[in-house]
């Protein structure tokens, strides 16, 4: 999903620091979850919109980037083609959530 040159840059950054030894699938999954939690933390006590959202955008951009980096490491290490995985998931989602039943609804597919 990310451009190959950016993925290569991330992998080189990690290799130069010899961090791949710490990046087991378990550790990457934990780190991914923790970084996603930091995204969530920015909205913990306030439904940020407008100026309130703008005030946290620099940190939000950093946290979203951290999520993307850990996801990229995990997918690369496990041989997951992220674009293909997303496309496959979208096929499943289209079947689970047909427009006629789900448009404008936040219900889970089991409730449709």
């Amino acid at each position: 999903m990310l451009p190959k040159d950016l993925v290569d840059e991330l992998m080189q950054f990690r290799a130069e620091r010899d961090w791949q030894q710490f990046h087991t699938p378990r550790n990457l999954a934990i780190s991914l979850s923790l970084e996603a939690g930091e995204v969530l933390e920015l909205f913990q006590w306030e439904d940020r919109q407008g100026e309130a959202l703008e005030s946290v955008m620099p940190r939000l951009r950093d946290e979203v980037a951290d999520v993307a980096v850990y996801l990229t490491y995990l997918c690369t290490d496990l041989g997951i083609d992220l674009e293909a995985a997303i496309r496959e998931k979208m096929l499943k989602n289209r079947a689970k959530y047909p427009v006629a039943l789900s448009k404008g609804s936040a219900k889970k597919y089991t409730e449709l």
Side-chain angles (χ1 to χ4, degrees):
M1 201 77 171
L2 294 176
K4 183 181 179 332
D5 65 313
L6 182 53
V7 173
D8 290 346
E9 184 178 342
L10 289 172
M11 302 313 286
Q12 180 180 351
F13 178 88
R14 179 173 77 165
E16 289 170 347
R17 288 153 182 81
D18 194 25
W19 286 350
Q20 62 270 31
Q21 64 180 315
F22 308 115
H23 287 182
T24 64
R26 175 186 176 273
N27 288 347
L28 289 171
I30 290 169
S31 296
L32 177 59
S33 180
L34 292 171
E35 294 299 340
E38 290 185 21
V39 171
L40 185 58
E41 182 182 23
L42 295 173
F43 298 92
Q44 183 176 11
W45 303 113
E46 184 178 347
D47 185 12
R48 295 185 187 273
Q49 297 179 21
E51 284 185 32
L53 181 57
E54 284 300 316
S55 71
V56 299
M57 282 303 287
R59 182 159 173 226
L60 182 58
R61 288 172 54 90
D62 283 348
E63 300 306 342
V64 166
D66 287 340
V67 169
V69 168
Y70 281 119
L71 182 59
T72 300
Y73 287 150
L74 185 64
C75 288
T76 301
D77 291 354
L78 297 178
I80 296 171
D81 179 332
L82 182 56
E83 182 176 353
I86 291 170
R87 290 185 187 284
E88 290 168 13
K89 183 63 176 177
M90 287 306 300
L91 289 174
K92 293 174 185 176
N93 286 345
R94 282 188 177 89
K96 278 186 190 177
Y97 299 100
V99 173
L101 297 177
S102 57
K103 187 171 184 175
S105 173
K107 292 181 180 178
K108 188 172 178 177
Y109 70 96
T110 56
E111 300 172 345
L112 296 175

